[in-house]
Amino acid sequence: TDVTALVEEIRKGEPLITAACVEHVILLVRRLQQKLGEKENHKFSLFKVLRTHILPLTNVAFNKSGSRFITGSYDRTCKLWDTASGEELRTLEGHKNVVYAIAFNNPYGDKIATGSFDKTCKLWSTETGKCYHTFRGHSAEIVCLSFNLQSTVVATGSMDTTAKLWDIEKGEEVATLRGHSAEIIALSFNTTGDKIITGSFDHTVAVWDVGTGRRLHTLIGHRAEISSAQFNWDCSLIVTGSMDKTCMLWNAVTGTHLATLAGHRDEILDVCFDCTGQRIATASADGSARVYDAQTKRCIAKLEGHGSEISKVCFNPKGNFILTASSDKTARLWDAATGHCLQILEGHTDEIFSCAFNYKGDRIITGN
């Protein structure tokens, strides 16, 4: 790309980029080009095996830099770890049942949210382990949660068919999102934080206005339970995965159906966009993952090799690698463009249900 021409094009639609900023933006774009052009021969090796939960894990999550990570467990606790040393920094105790959903308020990482089968969500300080708030109001288990990127609101999804929005500072409920007829299994904020989507076992995905709690659209088309739903980075598209073996692409502004991405022979268990929103990855119970082009809607790569279902899929931040976690006890690293398997990550003795990259893309965490 001609950098000067690109920046001039960006400038036309962005009044904040004044003439005084142009040279700096050109420099930043050149640095980005350089970074994207770097060849990577990074091999991942087993660094640490951490066992201290007395019952199985439910989820794992990195902070943005990857310097810390958290684990949720059936033992009713969430543990905070130092990535480099593998040292357990603290145990967040207080829930009366399984800690199922966990998250850092990335990119800040100074707070942790935990959602539990005890019907509550707790907000903690990363630094001190102090519990700031206990959010009460759901009448059944909390199974998913998410912070908005602005770190002002945390959302929780529950088996009680509702999602709730909570004010992080005040510790109060902001809104209850009612309308689904079955449990909410997935939720995701858009980048700007003004909309949230909820995916349900009632086969639909709802798009909500965060400020008012009003439902804007219902995405109807799947013929079975929703397993995963996500906005792309610029908030223009929504991707949904379902137990009906398909993935669907939707216009996030109008709620209209754009495409059905078919090809899998079994349930789709996870879907995700790369950071630019140009590619979509799907993970299926048929043991394969696929990569689709978001513009052409075509399948551009098939990731085949796992011996059993793939429950989790994610792109690295740069978007050139894909990580999959499978019940065959391995995670695999793939070339996103070709579908070629670059590495098999072994060592677990049971199915892997969770995996993540850190922001730099040089560390991977897997949980079983």
Side-chain angles (χ1 to χ4, degrees):
T1 305
D2 180 326
V3 175
T4 311
L6 175 66
V7 171
E8 191 51 44
E9 196 181 321
I10 293 169
R11 194 183 156 193
K12 283 176 192 167
E14 182 47 80
L16 290 175
I17 300 177
T18 59
C21 304
V22 169
E23 284 305 314
H24 187 57
V25 176
I26 288 172
L27 180 70
L28 290 173
V29 174
R30 285 210 174 107
R31 273 173 54 192
L32 181 61
Q33 275 189 339
Q34 193 181 347
K35 191 164 178 57
L36 289 171
E38 285 170 5
K39 289 279 173 262
E40 288 180 58
N41 298 312
H42 189 86
K43 279 282 183 202
F44 291 92
S45 56
L46 183 59
F47 173 59
K48 285 257 186 334
V49 179
L50 308 173
R51 291 188 188 92
T52 66
H53 282 288
I54 55 174
L55 289 172
L57 300 188
T58 54
N59 256 308
V60 295
F62 269 122
N63 66 355
K64 184 174 175 177
S65 69
S67 62
R68 303 270 188 276
F69 69 92
I70 46 176
T71 52
S73 170
Y74 281 89
D75 69 9
R76 307 180 177 191
T77 72
C78 171
K79 288 181 185 283
L80 175 70
W81 305 82
D82 179 88
T83 308
S85 67
E87 180 192 352
E88 181 188 318
L89 299 176
R90 59 187 50 89
T91 300
L92 308 179
E93 293 178 291
H95 281 295
K96 296 179 172 63
N97 208 327
V98 176
V99 173
Y100 194 75
I102 57 174
F104 278 103
N105 64 331
N106 290 338
Y108 306 100
D110 64 327
K111 294 182 181 74
I112 294 162
T114 54
S116 170
F117 285 4
D118 68 9
K119 309 173 192 173
T120 72
C121 169
K122 287 180 182 285
L123 186 71
W124 313 80
S125 162
T126 303
E127 288 312 305
T128 66
K130 175 192 168 193
C131 180
Y132 290 124
H133 305 295
T134 299
F135 300 121
R136 292 183 173 87
H138 282 296
S139 58
E141 295 92 331
I142 292 173
V143 291
C144 52
L145 60 77
S146 180
F147 284 98
N148 64 351
L149 269 183
Q150 295 70 27
S151 194
T152 55
V153 175
V154 66
T156 52
S158 170
M159 304 281 273
D160 67 11
T161 76
T162 73
K164 287 180 184 285
L165 305 178
W166 312 88
D167 184 296
I168 287 172
E169 283 306 308
K170 295 176 183 168
E172 296 168 0
E173 182 182 316
V174 180
T176 297
L177 312 181
R178 287 190 179 88
H180 285 294
S181 58
E183 54 260 47
I184 291 173
I185 200 72
L187 46 77
S188 175
F189 282 98
N190 66 352
T191 314
T192 50
D194 62 338
K195 293 191 182 76
I196 188 170
I197 48 177
T198 52
S200 170
F201 271 19
D202 68 9
H203 308 181
T204 72
V205 172
V207 185
W208 311 82
D209 181 278
V210 171
T212 63
R214 196 167 58 87
R215 182 160 41 163
L216 302 172
H217 307 292
T218 304
L219 311 183
I220 298 170
H222 283 295
R223 298 185 309 280
E225 294 95 328
I226 304 297
S227 59
S228 187
Q230 198 184 70
F231 282 97
N232 67 342
W233 180 256
D234 73 2
C235 316
S236 62
L237 298 172
I238 293 167
V239 67
T240 57
S242 168
M243 303 297 185
D244 68 8
K245 308 176 189 176
T246 72
C247 169
M248 290 188 179
L249 199 58
W250 313 78
N251 180 310
V253 180
T254 62
T256 50
H257 174 264
L258 299 175
T260 298
L261 311 179
H264 282 293
R265 301 182 310 280
D266 209 337
E267 300 169 345
I268 290 182
L269 302 177
D270 195 26
V271 295
C272 67
F273 281 105
D274 67 358
C275 63
T276 61
Q278 292 175 314
R279 289 176 180 166
I280 296 158
T282 57
S284 171
D286 67 14
S288 76
R290 288 176 176 238
V291 186
Y292 295 87
D293 184 293
Q295 275 195 310
T296 66
K297 324 293 192 287
R298 293 179 186 277
C299 177
I300 52 177
K302 294 177 186 175
L303 318 183
E304 294 170 328
H306 277 297
S308 190
E309 70 176 35
I310 302 170
S311 59
K312 192 79 182 153
V313 63
C314 58
F315 285 90
N316 67 336
K318 203 161 143 182
N320 58 333
F321 295 153
I322 289 172
L323 179 63
T324 53
S326 170
S327 54
D328 69 5
K329 305 174 189 175
T330 72
R332 289 182 181 233
L333 194 67
W334 311 80
D335 184 299
T338 65
H340 176 65
C341 181
L342 302 172
Q343 211 178 337
I344 301 173
L345 308 176
E346 297 175 298
H348 282 295
T349 55
D350 208 338
E351 64 181 272
I352 303 173
F353 57 81
S354 191
C355 61
F357 280 100
N358 65 339
Y359 183 68
K360 202 173 168 189
D362 62 352
R363 283 198 171 127
I364 285 170
I365 186 169
T366 56
N368 83 338

